[in-house]
Amino acid sequence: MAEETIFSKIIRGEIPANIVFQDDKVTAFRDISPQAPTHILIIPNKLIPTVNDVTVEDEQVLEHLFVVAAKIAQQEGIAEDGYRLVMNCNKHGGQEVFHIHMHLLGGKPLGPLLSQ
């Protein structure tokens, strides 16, 4: 069994967060250290530690992450100009919380994804 994370507590409402969307599959909330004017984390309510731990049974919730991302981008007014979706995997990929999550970033030109 995977270890519980801070995100698990946010999903259950035990830790306050600025939640912008929640249903039975995913929760989305504003990042406490935003890297863009709009920076929202979208997480499955089921604890999946890394992308490497995704199984066939997780396909539906992962599809739902993208549907929710598009809906939130529309609500935030960033869909037309564009936005970035980022998922990190493990330490070299920059993952800090081991509960997969998608970063929705936008509201300004974001530039190149990686610098040399």
Side-chain angles (χ1 to χ4, degrees):
M1 177 99 177
E3 248 183 74
E4 183 170 276
T5 69
I6 189 170
F7 291 170
S8 303
K9 294 177 181 180
I10 289 171
I11 291 164
R12 292 192 306 264
E14 296 170 8
I15 294 177
N18 187 345
I19 294 177
V20 297
F21 180 88
Q22 187 168 40
D23 65 13
D24 62 324
K25 293 181 184 140
V26 304
T27 299
F29 54 93
R30 295 193 189 281
D31 194 295
I32 59 170
S33 185
Q35 303 300 304
T38 298
H39 188 170
I40 295 169
L41 301 179
I42 308 167
I43 62 176
N45 293 340
K46 173 187 175 187
L47 175 52
I48 306 167
T50 74
V51 172
N52 294 334
D53 299 302
V54 170
T55 67
V56 172
E57 290 78 29
D58 301 319
E59 286 181 5
Q60 190 176 41
V61 73
L62 295 180
E63 291 171 6
H64 194 54
L65 285 177
F66 284 93
V67 171
V68 169
K71 178 180 180 174
I72 293 171
Q74 197 72 276
Q75 291 172 347
E76 294 287 314
I78 62 172
E80 187 173 325
D81 285 338
Y83 52 94
R84 182 172 290 157
L85 299 174
V86 177
M87 289 185 85
N88 301 321
C89 183
N90 280 325
K91 292 180 183 184
H92 283 197
Q95 186 175 4
E96 295 176 2
V97 177
F98 287 85
H99 185 144
I100 64 170
H101 52 285
M102 177 184 289
H103 296 259
L104 168 62
L105 301 133
K108 71 175 187 178
L110 297 173
L113 182 58
L114 299 172
S115 58
Q116 301 286 325

